[in-house]
């Protein structure tokens, strides 16, 4: 069984990790995003988001990973601005049909429900869809673990989206280590962020199409694992057959990193983090596999850093009344 985080450790990490991330964020972002943004505007906003997320995850455990992934795919395309939620219009082609997102991203209905409930308790539309994604991602993790961290909020929503930006900006599962690190650095993130945020794959499932090449072509995969996976993921067909990303897909733990150490990473891009000649990455994977408190702290700090990527604040953008379309 993978090591788990104690309640005492989680309470300490609640504020420490977020504070560390804020100190490393650009001053302009820190000044406009704050965990207390909605305290006076609508104090019921964040508890309402958590309530709806909890209901969704309890109904379908996989939904936690899906909501977490929505936030990642939003932030890595022109910043954390809710653009991933927009449907196509006559003015632009949205991001939902980009190759990394098509038939892959899910949870849009849950976001709609969160937005509806938040607007109801706030009695008006004051919480952005971008903030809904950021807070729902945090809640998705804390509901299946005891990891808590503060989410700076105050983002506003974009009035456009870009299919091309999504196609080119999101790292695919076949990337090499160097390509993954270059991608993260292009977004202002670093090696620790790459390894820590990849740890989000400790929950959820992956489709056959995302790992087929690995189980038939890669040599750095445990033989028995590859043979087992091939039974559920044939060389042709079965693209949407699902496989857990690690041995405990409903629990946020360090099983994912232990799998990498044993050459049992499901995705090619996951296994690239260990055993590919980068001693720093190897060291982090090994550290996290046996130190859940360190992983939790780094993951929380990296989530806050990612959430601070190019947000719209002040008078920029808008607060959408419907997350799927501009006002």
């Amino acid at each position: 069984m993978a090591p788990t985080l104690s309640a005492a450790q989680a309470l300490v990490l609640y504020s420490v990790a977020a504070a560390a991330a804020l100190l490393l964020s650009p001053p302009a972002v820190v000044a406009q995003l704050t965990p207390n943004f909605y305290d006076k505007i609508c104090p019921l906003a964040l508890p309402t988001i958590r309530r709806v997320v909890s209901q969704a995850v309890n109904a379908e455990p996989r939904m936690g990973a899906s909501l977490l992934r929505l936030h990642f795919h939003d932030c890595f395309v022109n910043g954390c601005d809710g653009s991933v939620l927009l449907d196509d219009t006559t003015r632009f082609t949205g991001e939902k049909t980009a190759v990394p997102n098509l038939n892959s991203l899910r949870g849009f209905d849950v976001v709609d429900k969160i937005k509806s409930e938040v607007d109801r308790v706030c009695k008006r539309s004051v919480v952005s869809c971008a903030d809904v994604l950021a807070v729902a991602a945090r809640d998705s993790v804390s509901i299946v673990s005891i990891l808590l961290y503060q989410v700076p909020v105050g983002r506003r929503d974009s009035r456009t989206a870009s299919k091309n930006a999504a196609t080119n900006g999101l790292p695919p599962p076949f990337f090499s280590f160097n390509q993954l690190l270059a991608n993260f650095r292009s977004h202002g993130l670093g090696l620790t962020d790459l390894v820590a945020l990849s740890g989000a794959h400790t929950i959820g499932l992956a489709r056959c199409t995302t790992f087929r090449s690995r189980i038939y072509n890669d040599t750095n995969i445990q033989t028995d694992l590859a043979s087992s996976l091939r039974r559920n993921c044939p060389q042709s067909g079965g693209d949407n057959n699902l496989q857990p990303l690690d041995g405990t897909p409903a629990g946020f733990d360090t099983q994912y990193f232990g799998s990498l150490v044993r050459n049992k990473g499901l995705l090619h891009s996951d296994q690239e983090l260990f055993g590919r000649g980068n001693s720093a990455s190897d060291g982090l994977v090994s550290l996290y596999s046996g130190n859940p408190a360190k992983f939790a702290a780094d993951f929380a700090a990296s989530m806050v850093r990612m959430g601070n990527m190019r947000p719209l604040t002040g008078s920029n953008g808008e607060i959408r009344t419907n997350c799927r379309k501009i006002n």
Side-chain angles (χ1 to χ4, degrees):
M1 179 180 293
T4 57
L5 189 66
S6 73
Q9 289 170 324
L11 289 173
V12 173
L13 294 173
Y14 179 87
S15 57
V16 173
L22 286 171
L23 288 172
L24 294 172
S25 299
V29 171
V30 176
Q32 298 185 66
L33 297 183
T34 168
N36 305 318
F37 186 85
Y38 294 112
D39 283 4
K40 292 184 178 180
I41 300 173
C42 181
L44 292 177
L46 302 194
T48 300
I49 294 174
R50 184 177 180 85
R51 173 173 57 80
V52 179
V53 170
S54 181
Q55 292 170 349
V57 173
N58 288 335
E60 182 192 2
R62 184 188 176 199
M63 187 53 65
S66 298
L67 293 172
L68 182 57
R69 191 161 179 258
L70 269 178
H71 181 45
F72 179 93
H73 281 232
D74 182 39
C75 292
F76 266 58
V77 182
N78 295 325
C80 308
D81 59 4
S83 60
V84 71
L85 302 173
L86 289 171
D87 291 335
D88 296 348
T89 72
T90 56
R91 292 179 43 234
F92 60 80
T93 301
E95 299 161 22
K96 293 179 179 179
T97 57
V99 172
N101 297 336
L102 184 63
N103 298 321
S104 177
L105 285 186
R106 51 199 305 277
F108 297 107
D109 290 344
V110 175
V111 172
D112 291 341
K113 184 174 182 180
I114 295 171
K115 176 64 173 170
S116 175
E117 283 295 293
V118 168
D119 286 357
R120 182 182 65 81
V121 299
C122 295
K123 296 182 172 54
R124 61 201 191 283
S125 184
V126 294
V127 179
S128 70
C129 300
D131 276 348
V132 166
L133 289 179
V135 177
R138 186 274 310 277
D139 290 343
S140 295
V141 171
S142 66
I143 286 166
V144 297
S145 69
I146 54 174
L147 171 61
L148 297 170
Y149 60 92
Q150 292 181 310
V151 179
V153 286
R155 300 168 189 80
R156 290 169 65 84
D157 298 319
S158 68
R159 294 190 177 100
T160 188
S162 172
K163 179 180 179 179
N164 288 337
T167 300
N168 297 322
L170 291 164
F174 54 78
F175 259 14
S176 69
F177 173 80
N178 288 334
Q179 288 173 312
L180 290 168
L181 185 57
N183 179 279
F184 269 63
R185 284 176 172 166
S186 73
H187 295 291
L189 302 174
L191 175 63
T192 299
D193 300 307
L194 167 61
V195 179
L197 291 175
S198 294
H201 286 172
T202 189
I203 56 174
L205 309 172
R207 296 185 302 145
C208 166
T209 187
T210 64
F211 61 85
R212 177 183 286 120
S213 178
R214 169 155 169 74
I215 64 177
Y216 287 100
N217 299 320
D218 286 5
T219 57
N220 61 337
I221 184 172
Q222 191 181 78
T223 304
D224 290 346
L225 174 64
S227 297
S228 174
L229 293 172
R230 288 169 186 165
R231 290 195 287 270
N232 189 45
C233 183
Q235 286 186 299
S236 63
D239 285 2
N240 293 320
N241 291 354
L242 299 173
Q243 184 69 29
L245 282 158
D246 73 2
T248 55
F252 196 87
D253 53 30
T254 60
Q255 179 79 34
Y256 166 81
F257 296 106
S259 297
L260 301 187
V261 173
R262 300 189 303 275
N263 282 341
K264 296 180 70 174
L266 182 63
L267 305 181
H268 174 86
S269 54
D270 286 337
Q271 195 59 56
E272 285 291 294
L273 301 180
F274 188 84
R276 306 307 282 177
N278 187 284
S279 59
S281 182
D282 287 356
L284 283 170
V285 170
S286 297
L287 174 62
Y288 293 158
S289 69
N291 191 331
K294 178 60 176 170
F295 165 54
D298 285 357
F299 179 82
S302 291
M303 283 293 290
V304 173
R305 274 195 293 276
M306 182 182 75
N308 288 345
M309 285 164 43
R310 299 171 61 186
L312 298 174
T313 57
S315 60
N316 295 315
E318 64 182 14
I319 306 297
R320 287 185 218 137
T321 57
N322 181 336
C323 289
R324 295 175 183 256
K325 60 184 182 181
I326 60 176
N327 294 341

